[in-house]
Coordinates of all heavy atoms in Angstrom, one line a residue:
M294 N 0.8 -1.2 0.0 CA 0.0 0.0 0.0 C 0.9 1.2 0.0 O 1.9 1.3 0.7 CB -0.9 0.0 1.2 CG -1.8 1.2 1.3 SD -2.8 1.4 2.8 CE -3.8 -0.1 2.8
A295 N 0.6 2.2 -0.8 CA 1.3 3.4 -0.9 C 1.1 4.3 0.3 O 0.0 4.3 0.9 CB 0.9 4.2 -2.2
P296 N 2.1 5.1 0.7 CA 1.9 6.0 1.8 C 0.8 7.1 1.5 O 0.6 7.4 0.3 CB 3.3 6.6 2.1 CG 4.0 6.4 0.8 CD 3.4 5.2 0.1
V297 N 0.2 7.6 2.5 CA -0.8 8.6 2.4 C -0.2 9.9 2.0 O 0.7 10.3 2.7 CB -1.7 8.7 3.6 CG1 -2.7 9.8 3.5 CG2 -2.4 7.4 4.0
Q298 N -0.7 10.5 1.0 CA -0.2 11.8 0.5 C -0.5 12.9 1.5 O -1.7 13.0 2.0 CB -0.7 12.2 -0.9 CG -0.3 13.5 -1.4 CD -1.0 13.9 -2.7 OE1 -1.8 13.2 -3.2 NE2 -0.6 15.0 -3.3
E299 N 0.5 13.8 1.8 CA 0.2 14.9 2.7 C 0.5 16.2 1.9 O 1.5 16.3 1.3 CB 1.1 14.9 3.9 CG 0.8 13.8 4.9 CD 1.6 13.8 6.2 OE1 2.5 14.7 6.3 OE2 1.4 13.0 7.0
V300 N -0.5 17.1 1.9 CA -0.4 18.3 1.2 C -0.3 19.5 2.2 O -1.3 19.7 2.9 CB -1.5 18.5 0.2 CG1 -1.4 19.8 -0.6 CG2 -1.6 17.3 -0.7
D301 N 0.8 20.3 2.2 CA 0.9 21.4 3.1 C 0.2 22.6 2.4 O 0.6 23.0 1.3 CB 2.4 21.7 3.3 CG 2.6 22.7 4.4 OD1 1.7 23.4 4.8 OD2 3.8 22.8 4.9
L302 N -0.7 23.2 3.1 CA -1.5 24.3 2.6 C -0.9 25.7 3.0 O -1.5 26.7 2.6 CB -3.0 24.2 3.0 CG -3.7 22.9 2.5 CD1 -5.1 22.9 2.9 CD2 -3.6 22.8 0.9
H303 N 0.1 25.6 3.8 CA 0.8 26.9 4.1 C 1.4 27.5 2.9 O 2.0 26.8 2.1 CB 1.9 26.7 5.1 CG 1.4 26.2 6.5 ND1 1.4 24.9 6.8 CD2 1.0 27.0 7.5 CE1 0.9 24.8 8.1 NE2 0.6 26.1 8.5
L304 N 1.1 28.8 2.7 CA 1.6 29.5 1.5 C 3.1 29.3 1.3 O 3.6 29.1 0.1 CB 1.3 31.0 1.5 CG 0.4 31.5 0.3 CD1 -0.8 30.6 0.1 CD2 0.1 32.9 0.5
R305 N 3.9 29.4 2.3 CA 5.3 29.3 2.2 C 5.8 27.9 1.6 O 6.9 27.8 1.2 CB 6.0 29.6 3.5 CG 5.8 28.5 4.6 CD 6.5 28.9 5.9 NE 6.4 27.8 6.8 CZ 5.3 27.7 7.6 NH1 4.3 28.5 7.6 NH2 5.3 26.7 8.5
A306 N 4.9 26.9 1.7 CA 5.2 25.6 1.1 C 5.1 25.6 -0.4 O 5.7 24.7 -1.0 CB 4.3 24.6 1.7
F307 N 4.4 26.5 -1.0 CA 4.3 26.5 -2.5 C 4.4 27.8 -3.2 O 4.3 27.9 -4.4 CB 3.0 25.8 -2.9 CG 1.7 26.5 -2.4 CD1 1.1 27.3 -3.3 CD2 1.2 26.2 -1.2 CE1 -0.1 28.0 -2.9 CE2 0.0 26.8 -0.8 CZ -0.6 27.7 -1.6
M308 N 4.7 28.9 -2.4 CA 4.9 30.2 -3.1 C 6.2 30.9 -2.5 O 6.3 30.8 -1.3 CB 3.7 31.1 -2.8 CG 2.5 30.8 -3.7 SD 1.3 32.1 -3.6 CE 2.1 33.3 -4.7
R309 N 6.9 31.5 -3.3 CA 8.1 32.2 -2.9 C 7.8 33.6 -2.4 O 8.3 34.0 -1.4 CB 9.2 32.2 -4.0 CG 9.8 30.9 -4.3 CD 10.8 31.1 -5.4 NE 11.3 29.9 -5.9 CZ 12.5 29.4 -5.5 NH1 13.3 30.0 -4.7 NH2 12.9 28.2 -6.0
N310 N 7.0 34.3 -3.1 CA 6.7 35.7 -2.8 C 5.2 35.9 -2.6 O 4.4 35.7 -3.5 CB 7.2 36.5 -4.0 CG 7.1 38.0 -3.7 OD1 6.6 38.4 -2.7 ND2 7.5 38.8 -4.7
T311 N 4.9 36.3 -1.4 CA 3.5 36.6 -1.1 C 3.2 38.1 -0.9 O 2.1 38.4 -0.5 CB 3.0 35.8 0.1 OG1 3.8 36.2 1.2 CG2 3.1 34.3 -0.1
S312 N 4.2 38.9 -1.2 CA 4.0 40.4 -1.0 C 2.8 40.8 -1.9 O 2.7 40.4 -3.1 CB 5.2 41.1 -1.3 OG 5.7 41.0 -2.6
G313 N 2.0 41.7 -1.4 CA 0.9 42.3 -2.2 C -0.3 41.5 -2.1 O -1.4 41.9 -2.6
L314 N -0.3 40.3 -1.5 CA -1.5 39.5 -1.4 C -2.2 39.8 -0.1 O -1.6 40.0 1.0 CB -1.1 38.0 -1.4 CG -0.5 37.4 -2.6 CD1 -0.1 35.9 -2.4 CD2 -1.5 37.5 -3.8
S315 N -3.5 39.9 -0.2 CA -4.3 40.1 1.0 C -4.5 38.7 1.7 O -4.2 37.7 1.2 CB -5.7 40.6 0.6 OG -6.5 39.6 0.0
G316 N -5.0 38.8 3.0 CA -5.3 37.6 3.7 C -6.3 36.7 3.0 O -6.1 35.4 2.9
D317 N -7.3 37.3 2.4 CA -8.3 36.5 1.6 C -7.6 35.9 0.4 O -7.9 34.7 0.0 CB -9.4 37.4 1.1 CG -10.3 37.8 2.3 OD1 -10.3 37.1 3.3 OD2 -11.1 38.8 2.1
D318 N -6.7 36.6 -0.3 CA -6.0 36.0 -1.5 C -5.2 34.8 -1.1 O -5.2 33.8 -1.8 CB -5.1 37.1 -2.1 CG -5.8 38.2 -2.8 OD1 -7.0 38.1 -3.1 OD2 -5.2 39.3 -2.9
M319 N -4.5 34.9 0.1 CA -3.7 33.8 0.6 C -4.5 32.6 0.9 O -4.2 31.5 0.5 CB -2.9 34.3 1.8 CG -1.9 35.3 1.5 SD -0.9 35.7 3.0 CE -0.5 37.3 2.7
V320 N -5.6 32.8 1.5 CA -6.5 31.7 1.9 C -7.1 31.0 0.6 O -7.1 29.8 0.4 CB -7.7 32.1 2.8 CG1 -8.7 31.0 2.9 CG2 -7.1 32.5 4.2
Q321 N -7.4 31.9 -0.4 CA -8.0 31.4 -1.6 C -7.0 30.5 -2.4 O -7.3 29.5 -3.0 CB -8.5 32.5 -2.5 CG -9.2 32.1 -3.8 CD -10.4 31.2 -3.5 OE1 -11.1 31.4 -2.5 NE2 -10.6 30.2 -4.3
L322 N -5.7 31.0 -2.4 CA -4.6 30.2 -3.1 C -4.4 28.8 -2.4 O -4.3 27.8 -3.1 CB -3.3 31.0 -3.1 CG -3.3 32.2 -4.0 CD1 -2.1 33.1 -3.7 CD2 -3.3 31.7 -5.5
S323 N -4.5 28.8 -1.1 CA -4.4 27.6 -0.4 C -5.6 26.6 -0.7 O -5.4 25.4 -0.8 CB -4.3 27.8 1.1 OG -3.1 28.5 1.5
I324 N -6.8 27.2 -0.8 CA -7.9 26.4 -1.1 C -7.8 25.8 -2.5 O -8.2 24.7 -2.8 CB -9.2 27.2 -0.9 CG1 -9.4 27.5 0.6 CG2 -10.4 26.5 -1.4 CD1 -9.5 26.3 1.5
E325 N -7.4 26.6 -3.4 CA -7.2 26.1 -4.8 C -6.2 25.0 -4.8 O -6.4 24.0 -5.6 CB -6.8 27.3 -5.7 CG -7.9 28.3 -6.0 CD -7.4 29.6 -6.7 OE1 -6.2 29.6 -7.1 OE2 -8.2 30.5 -6.8
R326 N -5.1 25.1 -4.0 CA -4.1 24.0 -4.0 C -4.8 22.7 -3.4 O -4.6 21.6 -3.9 CB -3.0 24.4 -3.1 CG -1.9 23.4 -2.9 CD -0.8 24.0 -2.1 NE 0.2 23.0 -1.6 CZ 1.2 22.6 -2.2 NH1 1.5 23.0 -3.5 NH2 2.1 21.7 -1.7
M327 N -5.6 22.9 -2.4 CA -6.3 21.8 -1.8 C -7.2 21.1 -2.8 O -7.2 19.9 -2.9 CB -7.1 22.2 -0.5 CG -7.8 21.1 0.2 SD -9.2 21.5 1.2 CE -10.4 21.7 0.0
R328 N -8.0 21.9 -3.5 CA -9.0 21.4 -4.5 C -8.2 20.6 -5.5 O -8.7 19.5 -5.9 CB -9.8 22.5 -5.1 CG -10.9 23.1 -4.3 CD -11.6 24.2 -5.0 NE -12.5 24.9 -4.2 CZ -12.7 26.2 -4.4 NH1 -12.1 26.9 -5.4 NH2 -13.6 26.8 -3.7
A329 N -7.2 21.2 -6.0 CA -6.4 20.5 -7.1 C -5.8 19.2 -6.6 O -5.9 18.2 -7.4 CB -5.3 21.4 -7.6
A330 N -5.3 19.1 -5.4 CA -4.7 17.9 -4.9 C -5.8 16.9 -4.6 O -5.7 15.7 -4.9 CB -3.9 18.2 -3.6
L331 N -7.0 17.3 -4.1 CA -8.0 16.4 -3.8 C -8.7 15.9 -5.1 O -8.9 14.7 -5.2 CB -9.1 17.1 -2.9 CG -10.3 16.2 -2.4 CD1 -9.8 14.9 -1.8 CD2 -11.1 17.0 -1.5
D332 N -8.9 16.7 -6.1 CA -9.4 16.3 -7.3 C -8.5 15.2 -8.0 O -9.0 14.2 -8.5 CB -9.7 17.5 -8.3 CG -10.8 18.4 -7.8 OD1 -11.6 18.0 -7.0 OD2 -10.9 19.5 -8.4
K333 N -7.2 15.5 -7.9 CA -6.3 14.5 -8.5 C -6.3 13.2 -7.8 O -6.2 12.2 -8.4 CB -4.9 15.2 -8.5 CG -3.8 14.3 -9.2 CD -2.5 15.0 -9.2 CE -1.5 14.2 -9.9 NZ -0.2 14.8 -10.0
A334 N -6.3 13.3 -6.4 CA -6.4 12.1 -5.6 C -7.6 11.2 -5.9 O -7.6 10.0 -6.0 CB -6.3 12.4 -4.1
I335 N -8.8 11.9 -6.1 CA -10.0 11.2 -6.4 C -9.9 10.6 -7.8 O -10.2 9.4 -8.0 CB -11.2 12.2 -6.4 CG1 -11.5 12.6 -5.0 CG2 -12.4 11.6 -7.1 CD1 -12.4 13.8 -4.9
E336 N -9.3 11.3 -8.8 CA -9.2 10.9 -10.1 C -8.2 9.6 -10.2 O -8.5 8.7 -11.0 CB -8.6 12.0 -11.0 CG -8.4 11.6 -12.4 CD -7.9 12.8 -13.2 OE1 -8.5 13.9 -13.2 OE2 -6.8 12.7 -13.8
Q337 N -7.2 9.6 -9.3 CA -6.2 8.6 -9.3 C -6.7 7.4 -8.5 O -6.0 6.4 -8.4 CB -4.9 9.1 -8.9 CG -4.2 10.0 -9.8 CD -2.9 10.6 -9.3 OE1 -2.6 10.5 -8.1 NE2 -2.1 11.1 -10.2
G338 N -7.8 7.5 -7.8 CA -8.3 6.4 -7.1 C -7.7 6.2 -5.7 O -7.7 5.1 -5.1
Q339 N -7.1 7.2 -5.2 CA -6.4 7.1 -3.9 C -7.5 6.9 -2.8 O -8.7 7.4 -3.0 CB -5.6 8.4 -3.5 CG -4.4 8.6 -4.4 CD -3.7 9.8 -4.0 OE1 -3.6 10.2 -2.8 NE2 -3.0 10.5 -5.0
Q340 N -7.2 6.3 -1.7 CA -8.2 6.0 -0.7 C -8.2 7.1 0.3 O -9.2 7.4 1.0 CB -7.9 4.7 0.0 CG -8.1 3.5 -0.9 CD -7.8 2.2 -0.1 OE1 -7.0 2.2 0.8 NE2 -8.5 1.2 -0.5
E341 N -7.1 7.8 0.5 CA -7.0 8.8 1.6 C -6.0 9.9 1.2 O -5.1 9.6 0.4 CB -6.5 8.1 2.9 CG -6.6 9.0 4.1 CD -6.2 8.1 5.4 OE1 -6.1 6.9 5.3 OE2 -6.0 8.8 6.4
I342 N -6.1 11.1 1.8 CA -5.2 12.2 1.6 C -5.2 13.0 2.9 O -6.3 13.0 3.6 CB -5.5 13.0 0.3 CG1 -4.4 14.0 0.0 CG2 -6.9 13.7 0.4 CD1 -4.5 14.7 -1.3
R343 N -4.1 13.7 3.2 CA -4.1 14.5 4.4 C -3.7 16.0 4.0 O -2.8 16.2 3.1 CB -3.0 14.0 5.4 CG -3.4 12.7 5.9 CD -2.4 12.3 7.0 NE -2.7 10.9 7.4 CZ -1.8 9.9 7.4 NH1 -0.6 10.1 7.0 NH2 -2.2 8.7 7.8
F344 N -4.4 16.9 4.6 CA -4.1 18.3 4.4 C -3.6 19.0 5.6 O -4.2 18.9 6.7 CB -5.3 19.1 3.8 CG -5.7 18.6 2.5 CD1 -6.8 17.8 2.3 CD2 -5.0 19.0 1.4 CE1 -7.2 17.3 1.1 CE2 -5.4 18.5 0.1 CZ -6.5 17.7 0.0
I345 N -2.5 19.7 5.5 CA -1.9 20.4 6.7 C -2.4 21.9 6.6 O -2.0 22.6 5.7 CB -0.4 20.3 6.7 CG1 0.1 18.9 6.7 CG2 0.2 21.1 7.9 CD1 1.6 18.7 6.4
H346 N -3.2 22.3 7.5 CA -3.7 23.6 7.5 C -3.1 24.5 8.6 O -3.2 25.7 8.6 CB -5.3 23.7 7.6 CG -5.8 22.9 8.7 ND1 -5.7 23.3 10.0 CD2 -6.5 21.7 8.8 CE1 -6.3 22.4 10.8 NE2 -6.8 21.4 10.1
G347 N -2.5 23.8 9.6 CA -1.8 24.5 10.7 C -2.8 24.9 11.8 O -4.0 24.6 11.7
H348 N -2.3 25.7 12.7 CA -3.1 26.1 13.9 C -3.6 27.5 13.7 O -4.7 27.8 13.6 CB -2.3 25.9 15.2 CG -1.9 24.5 15.4 ND1 -2.7 23.6 15.9 CD2 -0.7 23.9 15.2 CE1 -2.1 22.4 16.0 NE2 -0.8 22.6 15.5
G349 N -2.7 28.5 13.6 CA -3.0 29.9 13.3 C -4.3 30.4 13.9 O -4.6 30.1 15.0
T350 N -4.9 31.2 13.2 CA -6.2 31.9 13.6 C -7.4 31.0 13.4 O -8.5 31.3 13.8 CB -6.4 33.2 12.9 OG1 -6.5 33.0 11.5 CG2 -5.2 34.2 13.2
G351 N -7.3 30.0 12.6 CA -8.4 29.1 12.2 C -9.1 29.4 11.0 O -10.0 28.7 10.6
V352 N -8.7 30.6 10.3 CA -9.4 31.0 9.1 C -9.3 29.9 8.0 O -10.2 29.5 7.4 CB -8.9 32.4 8.6 CG1 -9.5 32.7 7.3 CG2 -9.3 33.4 9.7
L353 N -8.0 29.5 7.8 CA -7.8 28.5 6.7 C -8.5 27.2 7.1 O -9.1 26.5 6.3 CB -6.3 28.3 6.5 CG -5.9 27.2 5.5 CD1 -6.5 27.6 4.1 CD2 -4.4 27.1 5.3
R354 N -8.4 26.7 8.4 CA -9.0 25.5 8.8 C -10.5 25.5 8.5 O -11.0 24.5 7.9 CB -8.8 25.3 10.3 CG -9.4 24.0 10.8 CD -9.4 23.8 12.3 NE -10.2 24.8 12.9 CZ -9.8 25.7 13.8 NH1 -8.6 25.7 14.2 NH2 -10.6 26.6 14.2
E355 N -11.1 26.6 8.8 CA -12.6 26.7 8.6 C -12.9 26.6 7.1 O -13.9 26.0 6.7 CB -13.2 28.0 9.2 CG -13.2 28.0 10.7 CD -13.9 26.7 11.3 OE1 -14.9 26.4 10.8 OE2 -13.3 26.1 12.2
R356 N -12.1 27.3 6.3 CA -12.4 27.2 4.8 C -12.1 25.8 4.3 O -12.9 25.3 3.4 CB -11.5 28.2 4.1 CG -11.9 29.6 4.1 CD -13.2 29.9 3.3 NE -13.1 29.5 2.0 CZ -12.6 30.2 0.9 NH1 -12.1 31.4 1.2 NH2 -12.6 29.7 -0.3
V357 N -11.1 25.1 4.8 CA -10.8 23.8 4.4 C -12.0 22.9 4.7 O -12.4 22.1 3.9 CB -9.5 23.3 5.0 CG1 -9.3 21.8 4.9 CG2 -8.3 24.0 4.4
Y358 N -12.4 23.0 6.0 CA -13.6 22.1 6.4 C -14.8 22.4 5.6 O -15.6 21.5 5.3 CB -13.8 22.3 7.9 CG -12.9 21.5 8.7 CD1 -11.5 21.6 8.6 CD2 -13.3 20.6 9.7 CE1 -10.6 20.8 9.3 CE2 -12.5 19.8 10.4 CZ -11.1 20.0 10.3 OH -10.3 19.2 11.0
H359 N -15.1 23.7 5.3 CA -16.2 24.1 4.4 C -16.1 23.4 3.1 O -17.1 22.8 2.6 CB -16.3 25.6 4.3 CG -17.3 26.0 3.3 ND1 -18.6 26.0 3.5 CD2 -17.2 26.3 1.9 CE1 -19.3 26.4 2.4 NE2 -18.4 26.6 1.5
E360 N -15.0 23.5 2.5 CA -14.8 22.8 1.1 C -15.0 21.3 1.2 O -15.6 20.7 0.4 CB -13.4 23.1 0.6 CG -13.2 24.6 0.2 CD -14.1 25.0 -1.0 OE1 -14.3 24.2 -1.9 OE2 -14.6 26.1 -0.9
L361 N -14.4 20.7 2.3 CA -14.6 19.2 2.4 C -16.0 18.8 2.7 O -16.4 17.8 2.2 CB -13.7 18.7 3.6 CG -12.2 18.8 3.3 CD1 -11.4 18.5 4.6 CD2 -11.8 18.0 2.1
R362 N -16.8 19.7 3.4 CA -18.2 19.4 3.5 C -18.9 19.4 2.1 O -19.8 18.6 1.9 CB -18.9 20.4 4.4 CG -18.6 20.1 5.9 CD -19.5 20.9 6.9 NE -19.1 22.3 6.9 CZ -18.1 22.9 7.6 NH1 -17.4 22.1 8.4 NH2 -17.9 24.2 7.5
V363 N -18.5 20.3 1.2 CA -19.1 20.3 -0.1 C -18.7 19.0 -0.8 O -19.6 18.4 -1.5 CB -18.6 21.6 -0.9 CG1 -18.9 21.5 -2.4 CG2 -19.1 22.9 -0.2
Y364 N -17.5 18.6 -0.8 CA -17.1 17.4 -1.4 C -17.8 16.2 -0.8 O -18.3 15.3 -1.6 CB -15.6 17.1 -1.3 CG -14.7 17.8 -2.3 CD1 -14.4 19.2 -2.2 CD2 -14.2 17.1 -3.4 CE1 -13.6 19.8 -3.1 CE2 -13.4 17.7 -4.3 CZ -13.1 19.1 -4.2 OH -12.3 19.7 -5.1
E365 N -18.1 16.2 0.5 CA -18.8 15.1 1.1 C -20.2 15.1 0.7 O -20.8 14.0 0.3 CB -18.7 15.3 2.6 CG -19.2 14.1 3.4 CD -18.9 14.3 4.9 OE1 -19.2 15.4 5.4 OE2 -18.5 13.3 5.6
R366 N -20.9 16.2 0.6 CA -22.3 16.3 0.2 C -22.4 15.8 -1.3 O -23.5 15.2 -1.6 CB -22.8 17.7 0.3 CG -23.3 18.0 1.7 CD -24.1 19.3 1.8 NE -23.4 20.5 1.2 CZ -22.7 21.3 2.0 NH1 -22.5 21.1 3.2 NH2 -22.1 22.4 1.4
R367 N -21.4 16.1 -2.1 CA -21.5 15.6 -3.5 C -21.1 14.2 -3.7 O -21.1 13.7 -4.8 CB -20.5 16.5 -4.3 CG -21.0 18.0 -4.4 CD -20.0 18.9 -5.1 NE -19.6 18.4 -6.4 CZ -18.5 18.8 -7.0 NH1 -17.7 19.7 -6.4 NH2 -18.2 18.4 -8.2
G368 N -20.8 13.5 -2.6 CA -20.4 12.1 -2.6 C -19.0 11.8 -3.2 O -18.7 10.7 -3.6
L369 N -18.2 12.8 -3.2 CA -16.8 12.6 -3.7 C -15.8 12.1 -2.7 O -14.8 11.6 -3.1 CB -16.3 13.9 -4.3 CG -17.2 14.5 -5.5 CD1 -16.8 15.9 -5.9 CD2 -17.1 13.5 -6.7
I370 N -16.1 12.3 -1.4 CA -15.3 11.8 -0.4 C -16.3 11.1 0.6 O -17.4 11.4 0.7 CB -14.4 12.8 0.3 CG1 -15.3 13.9 1.1 CG2 -13.5 13.5 -0.6 CD1 -14.5 14.9 1.9
T371 N -15.7 10.2 1.4 CA -16.5 9.4 2.4 C -16.6 10.2 3.7 O -17.7 10.3 4.3 CB -15.9 8.0 2.6 OG1 -15.8 7.4 1.4 CG2 -16.7 7.2 3.6
S372 N -15.5 10.7 4.2 CA -15.4 11.4 5.4 C -14.2 12.2 5.6 O -13.2 12.1 4.8 CB -15.6 10.4 6.6 OG -14.5 9.6 6.7
F373 N -14.1 13.1 6.6 CA -12.9 13.8 7.0 C -13.0 14.1 8.5 O -14.0 14.2 9.1 CB -12.8 15.1 6.2 CG -13.9 16.1 6.4 CD1 -13.7 17.1 7.3 CD2 -15.0 16.0 5.7 CE1 -14.7 18.0 7.5 CE2 -16.0 16.9 5.8 CZ -15.9 17.9 6.8
E374 N -11.8 14.1 9.1 CA -11.7 14.4 10.5 C -10.3 14.9 10.9 O -9.3 14.6 10.2 CB -12.0 13.2 11.4 CG -11.1 12.1 11.2 CD -11.6 10.8 11.9 OE1 -12.8 10.7 12.2 OE2 -10.7 10.0 12.3
P375 N -10.2 15.7 11.9 CA -8.9 16.2 12.3 C -8.0 15.0 12.7 O -8.5 14.0 13.2 CB -9.1 17.0 13.6 CG -10.6 17.3 13.6 CD -11.2 16.2 12.8
S376 N -6.7 15.1 12.4 CA -5.8 14.1 12.8 C -5.7 14.0 14.3 O -5.7 15.0 15.0 CB -4.4 14.4 12.3 OG -3.4 13.6 12.8
F377 N -5.7 12.8 14.8 CA -5.6 12.5 16.3 C -4.3 13.0 16.8 O -4.2 13.6 17.9 CB -5.8 11.0 16.5 CG -5.7 10.7 18.0 CD1 -6.8 10.9 18.8 CD2 -4.6 10.1 18.5 CE1 -6.7 10.6 20.2 CE2 -4.5 9.8 19.9 CZ -5.6 10.0 20.7
F378 N -3.2 12.9 16.0 CA -1.9 13.2 16.5 C -1.5 14.6 16.2 O -0.6 15.2 16.8 CB -0.9 12.3 15.9 CG -1.1 10.8 16.3 CD1 -1.6 9.9 15.5 CD2 -0.7 10.4 17.6 CE1 -1.8 8.6 15.9 CE2 -0.9 9.1 18.0 CZ -1.5 8.2 17.2
N379 N -2.2 15.3 15.2 CA -1.8 16.6 14.8 C -3.1 17.4 14.5 O -3.6 17.3 13.3 CB -0.9 16.6 13.6 CG -0.5 18.0 13.2 OD1 -1.0 19.0 13.7 ND2 0.4 18.1 12.2
P380 N -3.7 18.2 15.4 CA -4.9 18.9 15.1 C -4.8 20.0 14.0 O -5.7 20.5 13.6 CB -5.3 19.5 16.4 CG -4.1 19.5 17.3 CD -3.2 18.4 16.7
G381 N -3.5 20.2 13.6 CA -3.3 21.1 12.5 C -3.4 20.4 11.1 O -3.0 21.0 10.1
M382 N -3.8 19.2 11.1 CA -4.0 18.4 9.9 C -5.3 17.7 9.9 O -5.9 17.4 10.9 CB -2.9 17.3 9.9 CG -2.9 16.4 8.7 SD -1.6 15.1 8.8 CE -0.1 15.9 9.2
V383 N -5.9 17.6 8.7 CA -7.1 16.9 8.5 C -6.9 15.7 7.6 O -6.3 15.7 6.6 CB -8.2 17.8 7.9 CG1 -7.9 18.4 6.6 CG2 -9.6 17.1 7.9
N384 N -7.5 14.5 8.1 CA -7.4 13.3 7.3 C -8.7 13.2 6.5 O -9.8 13.3 7.0 CB -7.3 12.1 8.2 CG -6.1 12.1 9.0 OD1 -5.0 12.4 8.6 ND2 -6.2 11.7 10.3
V385 N -8.6 12.9 5.2 CA -9.7 12.8 4.3 C -9.8 11.4 3.7 O -8.8 10.9 3.1 CB -9.6 13.8 3.1 CG1 -10.8 13.7 2.2 CG2 -9.5 15.2 3.6
V386 N -10.9 10.7 4.0 CA -11.1 9.4 3.4 C -11.9 9.6 2.1 O -13.0 10.0 2.2 CB -11.9 8.5 4.4 CG1 -12.1 7.1 3.8 CG2 -11.1 8.3 5.7
I387 N -11.3 9.2 1.1 CA -11.9 9.3 -0.2 C -12.8 8.2 -0.5 O -14.0 8.3 -0.9 CB -10.8 9.5 -1.4 CG1 -10.0 10.7 -1.1 CG2 -11.5 9.5 -2.7 CD1 -8.8 10.8 -2.0
R388 N -12.3 7.0 -0.2 CA -13.2 5.8 -0.4 C -12.6 4.7 0.5 O -11.4 4.7 0.9 CB -13.2 5.3 -1.8 CG -11.9 4.9 -2.4 CD -12.0 4.6 -3.8 NE -10.7 4.3 -4.4 CZ -10.0 3.2 -4.3 NH1 -10.6 2.1 -3.7 NH2 -8.8 3.0 -4.8
Y389 N -13.4 3.7 0.9 CA -12.9 2.6 1.7 C -12.2 1.6 0.8 O -12.5 1.3 -0.3 CB -14.1 1.9 2.4 CG -14.7 2.8 3.5 CD1 -16.0 3.3 3.3 CD2 -14.0 3.1 4.6 CE1 -16.6 4.0 4.3 CE2 -14.6 3.9 5.6 CZ -15.9 4.3 5.4 OH -16.4 5.1 6.4

C-alpha cells in the first residue's frame, strides 16, 4: 500500500513571494491548492489524503472544512476528521 499523501496548505510551502497578497487572497490560493490535490487524488483512485492547514487563527482550517463538506455532500469523499496526533492536519477518506 502506498503512503498517504500529505499536502501542506501553508503558502510558504508552495509560493516564494506573497507580497501584495491580502489575507483573503492567501486563503484562496491555499484552497485552490487543496482542491487541485483532492481532485487529482480522487481521479487517481487514492483512498486517503491529508491536508496540513496548521493552527494559526483558524481561518484556513474553517475554509478547508467548508470545502470538504461540499465534497462530502457531493459524494466525492467518504469522510474527514482532524488528525488525532496533529490537530493542524485533517485526514480525508476518499473511499474505503
Side-chain angles (χ1 to χ4, degrees):
M294 182 188 296
V297 176
Q298 178 185 3
E299 291 184 0
V300 179
D301 192 344
L302 299 179
H303 292 96
L304 237 51
R305 69 179 183 278
F307 63 95
M308 286 193 73
R309 290 181 188 258
N310 184 1
T311 59
S312 63
L314 293 176
S315 70
D317 288 341
D318 292 339
M319 291 184 209
V320 169
Q321 187 59 36
L322 288 168
S323 293
I324 293 301
E325 289 171 10
R326 177 177 169 86
M327 184 201 79
R328 285 181 188 145
L331 184 53
D332 290 345
K333 185 175 181 181
I335 292 167
E336 182 180 299
Q337 292 177 343
Q339 293 181 32
Q340 292 182 332
E341 189 176 349
I342 189 169
R343 295 183 184 125
F344 294 105
I345 303 167
H346 53 70
H348 301 282
T350 63
V352 173
L353 179 57
R354 180 189 66 236
E355 291 306 316
R356 283 290 308 276
V357 165
Y358 279 54
H359 171 79
E360 291 295 322
L361 292 173
R362 283 190 290 275
V363 171
Y364 275 78
E365 190 175 43
R366 279 194 302 268
R367 292 174 55 203
L369 298 171
I370 64 172
T371 301
S372 65
F373 62 94
E374 61 185 26
S376 169
F377 180 77
F378 297 105
N379 180 356
M382 181 185 309
V383 60
N384 298 321
V385 180
V386 176
I387 298 169
R388 62 183 176 84
Y389 292 112

